[in-house]
């Protein structure tokens, strides 16, 4: 048998195969020969591991049965005949009946359209939410949300009432079709706060003066708006809203905006254009010194066209922002035209593992009384309202993945803002007559100045599994102002962290940590060394603080869940604003129930 095989190999029919096999053997022998040299120094090589190998189906490939061989002469293929030699083999193997393996199938959690949540805690805190939704047809739906949050106060060392409450209602009606989606929203909210931050450590107030202070303020909001989204066509989407904002002291403000957007393609390139018409107008009955009424109005017209260019791993948005504003205050008007950069670029250095990005953007921001109250509810109803010119925001950064479940984002930038608003404590003037509840150094004003900010930002997100996630982010800023002494009430350092875990199918929990660095403010201080009181404005440094919050919940069944929440668990007695201490350890417990009609 061996001689026959030997003769068969010498046949001319397989000469091509012979050459290929001989070449492979010769190359292998040479490689083995070199590898056997013990004394040869093969050097060193540094290997940078970019990411752990994560094989996917696309990583595997099938070897071609007929490999391509580059020869000068292409010879015809010679058919090869195969023969099978069968030999009987004795076997005692008896196959058993097969059974399909059990597969753990994850049960999908049933979704409910409605829920009710009720909670109560210390400081007389009450929290309630009711959400109702109903599908009217295959396309139309309706929904409503009622919310309430209140506290009876009780902060130690506070001379005035510090209770608060907020009650709001939102209603929506909408439709979803293949061509477009649209909805109409109606909302109303009432908010009550107290100017409880009386500076008793800086100024001597007698008991009669304290008892005469009417520290309560209330805000009312009514809004009507809507949104449209188109799946096809030139017109992409549009949003609009009208909002009426007022307070207890006769202040009133109207805000209306409409923001349409278009996009279309020309020669495989996408062109986008967004437009805005934003109006705000209102009045305050008196200025801070009870001299005259304050009236303001401002209209912003703007557009941001951009062109998207993509090639391989590089993409860039090229565009500009064009804005015109008419700013009026107490009859005096001032119209201005602004041009801003609108450029954003990104490059994939290593796929999704490392993406470099940069940008140069600008914008004209509309300010309003309602926005100031949202940022600081303890402002006085005597504010000067004007838009902010964000001349440019230059940034460069990198984002990507450190591992399959860990992503990162780092960024540095320079931001230039003209007419930037700052919150600063109002002065206390004992000679002022007809004082209101905000005239005792216990409220805040808004002042404007130019601000240059250099910032560094970093963020890490980790999804260890479907049941646990972690986030850590931090921002460091350096500020430079033109005319003010300091960038009032802006912290240099802010750090946020959160952790959420599903311990079991029934138990879940999480925690959040917030750190805010030192801030500067300008407050009124009484000179207590003289017989006749004198008052001066002095800079103060508000201490940095951290706030630790946590929550835990138990899912009794698919509908009923019990929860327990804790805020300021470290019991930090810090001041969020000057002379405005926060509540200590806050504990809130309750339950939520989900249901369908």
């Amino acid at each position: 048998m061996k001689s026959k095989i030997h003769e068969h190999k010498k046949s001319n029919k397989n000469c091509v195969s012979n050459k290929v096999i001989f070449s492979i053997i010769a190359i292998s022998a040479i490689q083995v020969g070199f590898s056997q040299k013990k004394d040869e120094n093969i050097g060193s090589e540094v290997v940078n591991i970019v990411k752990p190998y994560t094989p996917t189906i696309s990583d595997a490939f099938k070897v071609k049965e007929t490999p391509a061989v580059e020869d000068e002469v292409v010879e015809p293929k010679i058919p090869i005949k195969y023969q099978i030699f069968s030999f009987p083999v004795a076997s005692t193997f008896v196959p058993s009946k097969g059974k399909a393996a059990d597969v753990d199938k994850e049960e999908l959690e049933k979704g409910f359209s409605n829920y009710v949540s009720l909670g109560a805690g210390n400081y007389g805190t009450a929290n309630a939410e009711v959400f109702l939704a109903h599908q009217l047809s295959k396309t139309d739906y309706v929904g409503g949300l009622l919310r309430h949050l209140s506290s009876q106060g009780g902060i130690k060392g506070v001379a005035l009432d510090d209770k608060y409450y907020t009650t709001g209602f939102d209603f929506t009606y909408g439709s979803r079709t293949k061509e477009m989606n649209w909805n109409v929203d109606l909302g109303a909210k009432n908010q009550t706060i107290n100017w409880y931050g009386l500076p008793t450590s800086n100024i001597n107030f007698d008991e009669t003066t304290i008892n005469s202070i009417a520290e309560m303020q209330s805000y009312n909001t009514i809004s009507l708006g809507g949104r449209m989204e188109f799946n096809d066509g030139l017109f992409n989407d549009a949003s609009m809203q009208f909002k009426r904002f007022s307070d207890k002291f006769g202040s009133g403000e109207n805000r209306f905006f409409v923001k349409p957007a278009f996009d279309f393609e020309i020669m495989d390139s996408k062109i986008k254009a967004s437009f805005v018409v934003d109006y705000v107008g209102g009045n305050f009955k008196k200025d801070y010194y009870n001299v005259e009424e304050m009236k303001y109005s401002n209209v912003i017209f703007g557009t941001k066209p951009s062109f998207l260019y993509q090639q391989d791993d590089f993409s860039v948005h090229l565009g500009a922002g064009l804005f015109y504003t008419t700013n009026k205050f107490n009859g005096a008007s001032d119209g201005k035209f602004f041009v801003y950069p609108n450029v954003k670029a990104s490059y994939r250095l290593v796929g999704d593992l490392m993406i470099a990005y940069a940008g140069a953007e600008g914008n004209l921001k509309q300010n309003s009384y309602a926005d100031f109250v949202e940022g600081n509810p303890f402002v006085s109803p005597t504010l000067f309202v004007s838009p902010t010119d964000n001349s440019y925001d230059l940034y460069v950064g990198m984002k990507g993945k450190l591992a399959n479940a860990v992503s990162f984002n780092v960024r540095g930038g320079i931001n230039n803002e003209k007419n930037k608003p700052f919150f600063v404590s109002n002065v206390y003037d004992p000679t002022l007559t007809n004082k209101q509840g905000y005239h005792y150094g216990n409220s805040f004003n808004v002042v404007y100045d130019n601000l240059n900010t250099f910032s560094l930002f970093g963020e890490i997100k980790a999804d260890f599994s479907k049941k646990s996630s972690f986030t850590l982010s931090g921002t460091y800023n350096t500020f430079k102002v033109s005319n003010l002494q300091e960038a009032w009430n802006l912290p240099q350092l802010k750090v946020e962290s959160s952790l959420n875990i599903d311990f079991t199918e029934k138990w879940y929990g999480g925690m959040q940590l917030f750190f805010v660095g030192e801030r500067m403010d300008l407050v009124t201080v009484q000179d207590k060394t003289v017989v006749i009181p004198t008052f001066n404005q002095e800079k103060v440094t508000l201490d940095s603080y951290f706030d630790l919050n946590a929550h835990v919940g138990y899912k009794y069944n698919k509908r009923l869940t019990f929860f327990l929440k804790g805020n300021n668990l470290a019991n930090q007695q810090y001041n969020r604003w000057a002379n405005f201490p926060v509540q200590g350890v806050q504990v809130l417990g309750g339950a939520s129930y989900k249901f369908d009609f």
Side-chain angles (χ1 to χ4, degrees), residues 198 200 203-213 428:
L198 197 65
T200 53
I203 303 173
N204 291 331
F205 294 101
D206 55 50
E207 195 69 23
T208 303
T209 300
I210 294 176
N211 293 332
S212 66
I213 298 176
Y428 171 68

Side-chain angles (χ1 to χ4, degrees), residues 216-245:
M216 191 180 75
Q217 166 70 300
S218 63
Y219 304 106
N220 297 288
T221 305
I222 298 177
S223 61
L224 175 64
R227 182 177 177 84
M228 296 183 295
E229 295 180 355
F230 295 87
N231 299 325
D232 296 317
L234 178 67
F235 189 59
N236 189 14
D237 62 73
S239 61
M240 61 186 68
Q241 185 186 64
F242 171 79
K243 180 166 63 176
R244 173 65 179 179
F245 185 77

